[in-house]
Amino acid sequence: MSAENNVGASMEAIQYHYDVSNDFYRFFLDTEMSYSCALWYTGQESLDVAQQQKIDYHIDNLELNPAAASRVLDIGCGWGAVMRRVKQRYALSTVTGITLSDAQVQHIDTLNLTDITATLENWQDHQAAKGTYDGIISVGAFEHFATPEASQEEKIQGYRNFFTSCYQWLKPSGIISLQTIGAGNMKREDLHHFFATEIFPESDLPRLADIATASTFLFEIVSVRNDREMYANTLREWLKNLQGNKQTVVNTFGTDLFKKYEKYFSLLILAFDVYKSMDLYRIKLRKIDKPRQ
Ligand SMILES: C[S@@+](CC[C@H](N)C(=O)[O-])C[C@H]1O[C@@H](n2cnc3c(N)ncnc32)[C@H](O)[C@@H]1O
C-alpha cells in the first residue's frame, strides 16, 4: 500500500467489518447483497426492488453507449451487484471491481462471471492506463477514505488524490457516480465511539463541502441528491431481516454479533431520521477536460 498517501482505513480495518462471514450478511441484505442505501421512488417497493433501482440510478448516470464495448470501474464493489447489473444491461461491457474484502472477492470468484473481475486492491494502488474507463461507480466506499485521526487538510488531500486518480483513469468527459454517507448536522468529534471502534474502525465521514473542494478543477458536479430518509428505511429493512432471523443468527454467530448489529442499525436509524446528523449523498460528477490551472 502507498503508505504516505494513505489516509483511509487499512485493509485490516476493512476486513474486520466486511469479512465477518458472507453468510452473516445474507441474513439481512437483499438477494443481490447490496450493502448501501437503497432508492425508493414510491416508498412502497420491496428492499430488493429499491436496491435494484439504486443500482440502475448509478448505471444510468454513467451515460454508457449500448453499442460500444464500455469499460466500467466499481470502486468498493462489495459482493458485485453493480458489476453484474452493468453486464446484464450492457452486453459488450467489461467491468472491473476493487475491494479490500477478501470474502467479497472470493464470493464474486465463485460466480465465474464473464467480463467481470474483482480484485483485492486499495484504490490507491489501482493501475490503469490514462483514459481506460468510460465510467466509474463508487457506492458506500468513500466513507472509508479518511481516518478520524487525519487533519482536515490531510483529509481533503486524500479525497483529492482519489479524484485525481479517477480523473486520470477516465476517458474525456467520463463520469463518476458516487454514493456516500456524509456528515450532516454533526461535527467530526461527534462521531459515536461505538462506530469508530466497534463498527467502522479507521473511518470518518466526508462533508459535502469536502467533496466539492477536493474535486474542484477536476470534476463538474452535475447533480447531488440527499436521500437521508432512505438510509433510515434501508436500515429498518436490514433490522427487520436481522431480527426475523434472530435465533439462527444467534445460534450460528453468537449473541454478541447479533446485538452489535442490532445496536448499529438502531443508532444509525436515529442518526439519519431523527438527529439528521448523517446525510446520504448520490453525486454525479463529470470530468472537466480542460481544467483551469
Ligand atoms: C459498504 S461496502 C459497499 C459495497 C457495494 N458498493 C454496495 O453498495 O453493496 C464498502 C466497500 O468499499 C470497499 N472499500 C473500502 N475502502 C476501500 C479502498 N480503499 N479501496 C477499495 N475498496 C475499498 C470495501 O471493501 C467494500 O467493498
Side-chain angles (χ1 to χ4, degrees), residues 1 6 8-10 14-15 17-18 29 32-37 51 54-55 74-82 98-102 104 119-124 137-145 179 200 231 264:
M1 193 178 293
N6 181 23
S10 63
I14 293 293
Q15 293 189 354
H17 185 94
Y18 295 96
L29 296 179
E32 293 292 311
M33 295 185 80
S34 275
Y35 192 23
S36 49
C37 177
Q51 287 294 12
K54 177 269 301 292
I55 290 171
D74 184 352
I75 301 176
C77 64
W79 288 276
V82 164
I98 56 177
T99 169
L100 287 179
S101 159
D102 201 27
Q104 292 176 342
T119 311
L120 187 68
E121 185 181 49
N122 195 312
W123 68 263
Q124 294 169 86
I137 292 179
S138 186
V139 178
F142 204 89
E143 295 90 331
H144 298 298
F145 294 173
Q179 175 169 317
F200 294 116
Y231 217 143
Y264 148 36

